[in-house]
């Protein structure tokens, strides 16, 4: 089955590289297998689904940049009792990147909840182009705040800490 929307359920993601796409981040949060495309072509050639272990996607450049392999990330996910955003609420500001629906899916598959208005009980997520002074002002007024990239990094590191 081909998945058109990241809101659809899936348990395998095929890719050529580990780019920080919304699909990859949702796949990580779901603990989906992330496989190289050749798994599909070789399975088709064998006329059966081949075991996936040998086809876990490897991308040395991205894994070096992230300082973790995708196998290690998925092992952490499988050992979690709750998602990285479990029990947390988030407000997404206008112009958020990834776009609102994608960021909402990333947060929700990580166990979080997206709320419709800013709140002191929610983490207010700003676009990465937002001036640091706006985020600092929000924090000074008692609002938890971060840039969207902080959410993305948390999915890969499996840690969400606003002190970073």
């Amino acid at each position: 089955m081909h998945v058109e929307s990241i809101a659809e359920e899936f348990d395998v993601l095929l890719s050529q590289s580990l780019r920080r796409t919304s699909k990859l981040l949702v796949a990580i949060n779901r603990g989906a297998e992330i496989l190289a495309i050749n798994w599909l072509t070789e399975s088709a050639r064998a006329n059966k689904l081949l075991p996936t272990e040998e086809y876990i996607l490897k991308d040395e450049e991205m894994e070096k940049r992230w300082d973790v392999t995708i196998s290690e990330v998925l092992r952490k996910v499988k050992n979690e009792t709750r998602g990285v955003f479990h029990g947390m609420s988030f407000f997404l500001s206008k112009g958020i990147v990834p776009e609102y629906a994608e960021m909402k899916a990333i947060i929700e598959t990580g166990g979080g909840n997206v709320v419709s208005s800013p709140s002191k009980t929610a983490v207010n997520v700003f676009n990465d182009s937002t001036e640091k002074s706006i985020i600092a002002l929000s924090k000074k007024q008692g609002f938890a705040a971060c840039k969207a990239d902080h959410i993305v990094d948390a999915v890969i590191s499996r840690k969400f800490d606003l002190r970073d």
Side-chain angles (χ1 to χ4, degrees), residues 17-79:
S17 64
L18 291 174
R19 294 178 304 130
R20 289 179 7 161
T21 64
S22 299
K23 282 184 183 177
L24 176 67
L25 298 170
V26 167
I28 289 171
N29 279 339
R30 287 187 172 147
E33 294 187 87
I34 300 169
L35 305 177
I37 290 176
N38 65 337
W39 171 78
L40 184 63
T41 55
E42 291 182 25
S43 290
R45 194 173 311 135
N47 212 20
K48 65 178 182 176
L49 292 178
L50 296 173
T52 59
E53 295 79 26
E54 295 178 30
Y55 297 93
I56 301 295
L57 185 61
K58 292 175 181 60
D59 184 334
E60 289 180 16
E61 181 182 330
M62 288 305 288
E63 291 174 335
K64 185 176 182 180
R65 189 178 301 167
W66 295 347
D67 196 30
V68 68
T69 67
I70 198 65
S71 295
E72 291 169 316
V73 172
L74 292 173
R75 193 172 14 264
K76 287 180 185 179
V77 172
K78 290 192 186 328
N79 290 329

Side-chain angles (χ1 to χ4, degrees), residues 2-162:
H2 177 74
V3 175
E4 291 294 327
S5 164
I6 59 174
E8 295 179 51
E9 291 289 324
F10 61 92
D11 55 8
V12 173
L13 177 70
L14 301 176
S15 186
Q16 293 177 352
S17 64
L18 291 174
R19 294 178 304 130
R20 289 179 7 161
T21 64
S22 299
K23 282 184 183 177
L24 176 67
L25 298 170
V26 167
I28 289 171
N29 279 339
R30 287 187 172 147
E33 294 187 87
I34 300 169
L35 305 177
I37 290 176
N38 65 337
W39 171 78
L40 184 63
T41 55
E42 291 182 25
S43 290
R45 194 173 311 135
N47 212 20
K48 65 178 182 176
L49 292 178
L50 296 173
T52 59
E53 295 79 26
E54 295 178 30
Y55 297 93
I56 301 295
L57 185 61
K58 292 175 181 60
D59 184 334
E60 289 180 16
E61 181 182 330
M62 288 305 288
E63 291 174 335
K64 185 176 182 180
R65 189 178 301 167
W66 295 347
D67 196 30
V68 68
T69 67
I70 198 65
S71 295
E72 291 169 316
V73 172
L74 292 173
R75 193 172 14 264
K76 287 180 185 179
V77 172
K78 290 192 186 328
N79 290 329
E80 289 175 350
T81 56
R82 312 175 203 196
V84 67
F85 306 121
H86 176 79
M88 301 180 77
S89 294
F90 297 83
F91 169 73
L92 304 177
S93 67
K94 290 184 180 178
I96 199 86
V97 176
E99 70 171 45
Y100 181 89
E102 293 175 348
M103 184 63 88
K104 184 175 189 276
I106 292 166
I107 290 169
E108 289 177 346
T109 57
N113 179 44
V114 175
V115 297
S116 59
S117 58
S119 159
K120 288 188 178 181
T121 61
V123 177
N124 296 276
V125 183
F126 293 95
N127 197 346
D128 287 336
S129 63
T130 301
E131 293 293 321
K132 286 184 180 181
S133 60
I134 294 172
I135 293 174
L137 179 62
S138 295
K139 288 180 177 180
K140 187 175 181 177
Q141 293 176 347
F143 288 85
C146 70
K147 290 189 174 191
D149 215 33
H150 199 75
I151 302 291
V152 171
D153 291 342
V155 172
I156 295 165
S157 70
R158 306 312 297 164
K159 293 181 289 195
F160 184 73
D161 187 348
L162 288 172

